[in-house]
Amino acid sequence: MKKIPVAVQMYTLREESEKDFAGTLKKVAELGYAGVEFAGYGGLTPIELKTLLDDLGLKAVSSHVPLEEIESNLAQVIEDQKILGSNYVVCPYLMPDCRSEKDYYALISVLNQAGEQCHLEGLTLLYHNHDFELDLLSDGRMALETIFDDTNSDYVKTELDVYWLTKVGENPGEWMNRYKNRTPLVHLKDMTRDAEQFFAELGTGGVDIEAVLDAGEGAGVQWWVVEQDFSRRTPFESIEISMNYLKSKLPYLANK
């Protein structure tokens, strides 16, 4: 079994990070996570953050960067990632007023251009999905299919979110296999079995996490990224439960 390392998306710990960014990263390392995916840098400069990560033994895996920043300030985004030692820039979300069919087709050009520039600089651009990209366009394809099928596969990769795929009735493992070797990062996230379909700790809900893990090596996954948008517990409790579940399924994590 390939030893795919595990990171946490720091959005999960946004409230804790606001209170104590360095302390939150320290706790992440203590729980056995090998890396972090950023959604902001806690007011630290990339140089300061890199020093902190090195002290804690954490890897900067990727950063979620708003689309408008990718469009307007890509050179700085790339420079920041190089300082952090991060390999991936992720477009994380489309605002509600940017989800028309026309917007999706315009997005393809933006992603191709930004992805090419990232590629030239030794980085990789990814697109992260929610559920709204699974809506059908006029040609019968889902918007997410259009994004991935019509962009250059050398320049634009996927960060599939297994919760959102499952929520709309899609099979995450099938999507991973469909875009194999284009799926370096995968968001691991579970869903409660009640009518609310709330975010849940890994292994406690209805998402077939085991099937996702089984598909990882064949799909070319380089990092698993644990994210839990909201929790009925404290976020630290949630990411500990999720890590303990992964340790039970991925023996190479047991000594982390």
Side-chain angles (χ1 to χ4, degrees), residues 101-117:
E101 185 159 336
K102 180 179 179 181
D103 290 324
Y104 284 121
Y105 284 114
L107 176 66
I108 289 166
S109 177
V110 172
L111 293 177
N112 273 332
Q113 292 176 26
E116 181 177 15
Q117 188 60 40

Side-chain angles (χ1 to χ4, degrees), residues 234-246:
T234 71
F236 280 133
E237 288 174 325
S238 291
I239 68 168
E240 183 173 9
I241 291 169
S242 291
M243 175 53 79
N244 287 338
Y245 170 80
L246 290 175

Side-chain angles (χ1 to χ4, degrees), residues 90-138:
V90 184
C91 178
Y93 188 71
L94 297 180
M95 299 303 290
D97 60 350
C98 297
R99 301 176 190 170
S100 71
E101 185 159 336
K102 180 179 179 181
D103 290 324
Y104 284 121
Y105 284 114
L107 176 66
I108 289 166
S109 177
V110 172
L111 293 177
N112 273 332
Q113 292 176 26
E116 181 177 15
Q117 188 60 40
C118 287
H119 182 76
L120 291 172
E121 296 288 343
L123 303 179
T124 302
L125 179 69
L126 286 74
Y127 184 85
H128 168 268
N129 70 281
H130 290 76
D131 55 350
F132 52 81
E133 295 99 342
L134 282 300
D135 291 341
L136 294 179
L137 302 182
S138 60

Side-chain angles (χ1 to χ4, degrees), residues 34-252:
V36 289
E37 179 176 66
F38 288 108
Y41 303 138
L44 300 178
T45 67
I47 293 174
E48 291 170 334
L49 184 51
K50 173 62 172 162
T51 299
L52 176 58
L53 293 173
D54 288 346
D55 289 344
L56 296 173
L58 288 171
K59 164 72 175 173
V61 176
S62 49
S63 292
H64 276 200
V65 180
L67 178 60
E68 56 268 28
E69 190 171 349
I70 291 173
E71 291 182 281
S72 65
N73 199 24
L74 184 59
Q76 186 62 57
V77 170
I78 289 172
E79 180 62 22
D80 290 347
Q81 301 317 297
K82 288 183 174 182
I83 293 170
L84 290 171
S86 165
N87 295 322
Y88 302 104
V89 176
V90 184
C91 178
Y93 188 71
L94 297 180
M95 299 303 290
D97 60 350
C98 297
R99 301 176 190 170
S100 71
E101 185 159 336
K102 180 179 179 181
D103 290 324
Y104 284 121
Y105 284 114
L107 176 66
I108 289 166
S109 177
V110 172
L111 293 177
N112 273 332
Q113 292 176 26
E116 181 177 15
Q117 188 60 40
C118 287
H119 182 76
L120 291 172
E121 296 288 343
L123 303 179
T124 302
L125 179 69
L126 286 74
Y127 184 85
H128 168 268
N129 70 281
H130 290 76
D131 55 350
F132 52 81
E133 295 99 342
L134 282 300
D135 291 341
L136 294 179
L137 302 182
S138 60
D139 65 0
R141 292 186 296 172
M142 298 176 187
L144 193 60
E145 291 178 294
T146 301
I147 292 169
F148 292 142
D149 292 348
D150 292 1
T151 51
N152 187 319
S153 60
D154 290 331
Y155 299 152
V156 183
K157 310 296 184 181
T158 77
E159 184 177 54
L160 296 173
D161 187 302
V162 304
Y163 170 93
W164 293 112
L165 288 169
T166 303
K167 190 175 178 66
V168 295
E170 292 292 309
N171 183 314
E174 290 179 0
W175 278 79
M176 291 167 63
N177 290 328
R178 176 174 177 177
Y179 297 104
K180 63 188 302 183
N181 300 320
R182 200 179 172 184
T183 311
L185 307 182
V186 172
H187 268 198
L188 295 181
K189 192 182 302 183
D190 215 335
M191 178 193 303
T192 61
R193 299 176 184 271
D194 55 26
E196 189 178 359
Q197 295 185 308
F198 196 66
F199 304 98
E201 294 76 19
L202 299 182
T204 68
V207 177
D208 192 350
I209 300 296
E210 284 195 56
V212 171
L213 297 175
D214 288 343
E217 183 172 354
V221 175
Q222 300 300 306
W223 281 87
W224 300 117
V225 182
V226 173
E227 182 183 36
Q228 191 165 332
D229 302 42
F230 298 95
S231 177
R232 292 171 175 170
R233 297 179 170 88
T234 71
F236 280 133
E237 288 174 325
S238 291
I239 68 168
E240 183 173 9
I241 291 169
S242 291
M243 175 53 79
N244 287 338
Y245 170 80
L246 290 175
K247 287 179 178 179
S248 74
K249 300 300 179 183
L250 303 173
Y252 60 83

